[in-house]
């Protein structure tokens, strides 16, 4: 597959406008490389996105990932400050294996990933999380950081939107 076609196919899957904005920024900063370096990313370029942004350091691929930065919206969802914690220390409930596998895959493959999950953590089952994870190097050619954008919507809003789209398609 031609690289540009792969980027277009991935972008077409992104339904959250902020995901598309961050992915386009990530592609711009990659400048033809497989992924940008952490130094290429500037919070000043994406200020509106910061409350939902997190930066995860890949300490030991497949084993330990540390939250280096977490926006205020993430603190609200996790009911605590997550900056400085390891991902395996967070209360993921029954989603723990799902999240650790997702981060491991991104760190190993060095490719962006996105998805949707209901109930991102214990006692937040009413939310639907639309997530985007973008790999970054950290002064080398392997994944050293993962740039994340997580959007949380009430499940009722998501169901209403889907029902509206289905009705419009009929």
């Amino acid at each position: 597959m031609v690289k540009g076609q792969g980027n277009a196919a991935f972008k077409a899957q992104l339904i959250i406008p902020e995901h598309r904005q961050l992915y386009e920024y990530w592609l711009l900063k990659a400048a033809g490389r497989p992924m940008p370096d952490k130094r290429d990313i500037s919070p000043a370029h994406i200020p509106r996105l910061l409350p939902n942004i997190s930066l995860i350091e890949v300490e030991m691929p497949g084993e330990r990932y540390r939250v280096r930065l977490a926006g205020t919206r993430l603190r609200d969802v996790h009911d605590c400050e997550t900056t400085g914690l390891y991902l395996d220390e967070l209360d993921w409930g029954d989603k723990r294996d799902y999240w650790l596998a997702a981060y491991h895959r991104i760190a190993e493959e060095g490719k962006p990933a996105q998805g949707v999950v209901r109930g991102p953590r214990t006692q937040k089952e009413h939310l639907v999380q639309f997530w985007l994870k973008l790999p970054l190097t950290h002064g080398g050619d392997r994944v050293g950081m993962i740039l994340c954008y997580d959007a949380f919507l009430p499940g009722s809003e998501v169901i209403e939107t889907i029902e509206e789209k289905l009705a419009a398609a009929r």
Side-chain angles (χ1 to χ4, degrees), residues 2-119:
V2 176
K3 186 175 183 177
Q5 291 172 333
N7 293 340
F10 184 82
K11 185 178 173 186
Q13 298 175 46
L14 302 175
I15 61 172
I16 302 294
E18 293 83 0
H19 282 180
R20 288 191 299 275
Q21 179 185 352
L22 186 61
Y23 181 64
E24 288 171 358
Y25 175 71
W26 181 86
L27 284 174
L28 176 71
K29 294 302 180 177
R33 298 171 291 172
M35 68 191 94
D37 190 277
K38 177 189 175 285
R39 294 174 301 208
D40 299 326
I41 305 299
S42 171
H45 296 151
I46 52 173
R48 193 176 65 76
L49 304 181
L50 294 179
N52 292 65
I53 291 278
S54 60
L55 192 58
I56 309 301
E57 182 176 17
V58 178
E59 286 192 356
M60 294 181 286
E63 296 181 36
R64 296 302 304 261
Y65 304 90
R66 184 189 295 257
V67 180
R68 283 294 175 198
L69 171 77
T72 54
R73 180 66 176 121
L74 297 160
R75 183 179 57 230
D76 294 343
V77 168
H78 286 280
D79 297 325
C80 69
E81 179 59 62
T82 59
T83 299
L85 298 178
Y86 286 94
L87 294 182
D88 58 13
E89 296 174 329
L90 298 177
D91 175 20
W92 301 112
D94 64 349
K95 304 287 190 295
R96 182 180 191 276
D97 291 343
Y98 170 86
W99 286 117
L100 294 178
Y103 283 99
H104 176 68
R105 187 179 80 236
I106 296 157
E108 289 297 313
E109 295 178 5
K111 296 179 183 174
Q114 59 86 32
V116 180
V117 64
R118 184 166 188 129

Side-chain angles (χ1 to χ4, degrees), residues 136-160:
L136 304 170
T137 63
H138 191 59
D141 59 355
R142 70 171 188 83
V143 177
M145 306 288 272
I146 301 173
L147 175 64
C148 311
Y149 187 94
D150 297 284
F152 302 93
L153 300 173
S156 57
E157 282 183 29
V158 174
I159 291 169
E160 287 173 13

